[in-house]
Amino acid sequence: MASPLKILFVASECAPFAKAGGLGDVVGALPKALKALGHDVRVLIPRYDTIKADTIHHQAPMAIPMMGTELWCGVEETRLPRSDVPVYLLDHRELFGRGYIYDPPNGHSPDNLVRFCTLSRGAFWLGRHLQWVPDVFHCHDWPTAAIPLYANTLERDTPFGGAATVLTIHNMAHQGIFSKRQLPLTHLPWSLYTSDGIETHDAVGLLKGGLFHASMITAVSPKYAREIRTREGGFGLEHVVNFRGGDLVGVLNGIDDQLWDPRTDRHIAHHYDVDSISEKVHNKRALQRELHLDVRDDVPLVAVVSRLNDQKGTDVIAEAIGPLLNLGIQLVVLGSGDPHTEATLAAWSHHGGGRMRAWIGFDEPLSHRITAGADLFLMPSRFEPCGLTQLYSQRYGTLPIVRATGGLDDTVEQYDGQGGGTGFKFWDLSVRSLVESVRWAAGVWRKRPEHIRSMQERSMRKRMGWDVSARQYEDVYRWSIERRRGR
Ligand code: ADP
């Protein structure tokens, strides 16, 4: 085997400690798969005060140059569950001890540039603190896109200057754009403030700078890697992505198949697997009871677990609830986000009788019970870099109904009318086509149970763990090191 690599993941989220979406799931799972391949993998995230974990406090604090001074940060250490992957928590009470990751509920955090540049610069200081120079810094989305910028400027002539940087795009829609007046706070030099650097429409764009400066770039599905090169998917950065096109690779996300396993899931009442799919109905009944829906086996239960926003198409779901319920289905929605969508869902939940329930909030255990208990899983995203919930639902034999975009198109196989496929895909995002697609899937569920069973078997047998993708990342790391060394 080639020599093991030293890899530092630096991210704003890491499940189960801090999670707002799929990024947290990836950072909580991929390092374990890389560790299993023999690499020395470690993770750095902020010490949010919401994190519940047993930690060891390192004695010496670190002084990170920031805001024209030195910010003294503590380091705590824990492990990813069921692994020996170290997770370091960067502790600065004022910056991170605020009860949220990015922004307060319905509010805005004005100093996110400093917060996440402190995390990014802190990655190098952690290396000094541990006397450990990574071969690769693996950065995720705009919050750690400043790492390649520091690596190419302030850290260029330090031992860390030789480390490669890999920037993974989980979502191009969020680009870390800040007033240029704040730039001096980060100590990033003005020489970066150019159109082929961090300058974007007279402001600082961290993601843009990271795209120019990272040794390599990955996107979380092959189709998304193509989509971000287009006007529709690039959110104004498509020209940068195309410029770096030779250094861009799409690697499909996997799932943590220990955490998401219907045979052992600690959040669900009745365990089952591909040989005992008939047991799944017990989870359906338990969910119907829990959410005060009519307890009926003969009605298809359709579920949504999602952030409620434009990206996810949940506004269209909210608009379609009346016609959806007229199909004689039950509908469960777990999510939070857009206040208007929340209000519409809550009103339907109140008046929908035993047919519709909305749970507004973020509730990890409930998301597992819904995934296990539902028959069909609805995900009409406008765009979807990869999407994990449709992977979880397939693993649980809960067939997805998805809009064929990005990772949804890559990971769901269309029902072929004969019992083949793993779900139902549609293309046009409108109330009408959403309702027609649910009608189609519910019709198959009612009239062709043998087709549903064979699709469930196919989807539950799919290999969705991280082992295949971890090998692809291994290749990306080695290429990035070669590029960094100019070969
Ligand atoms: P994104 O990262 O765009 O939100 P993904 O499908 O990649 O979408 O990942 C979303 C993750 O967040 C999944 O693990 C999903 O189960 C979880 N999730 C989303 N909304 C909720 C919620 N309201 N409660 C619990 N988990 C949620």
Side-chain angles (χ1 to χ4, degrees), residues 28-51:
L30 172 58
K32 293 196 272 189
L34 290 163
K35 185 87 181 183
L37 294 176
H39 300 293
D40 180 359
V41 195
R42 310 181 189 196
V43 181
L44 173 67
I45 59 170
R47 205 299 172 229
Y48 305 110
D49 55 357
T50 46
I51 293 179

Side-chain angles (χ1 to χ4, degrees), residues 19 21-23 25 260 305-307 311-312 334-336 361-364 367 379 384 387-389 392:
K19 164 173 158 179
L23 189 161
D25 287 340
W260 290 91
V305 177
S306 181
R307 291 184 288 122
Q311 175 195 335
K312 299 292 182 181
L334 167 64
S336 63
F362 196 94
D363 187 329
E364 181 92 26
S367 74
M379 211 168 164
E384 193 58 71
L388 290 170
T389 44
Y392 300 146

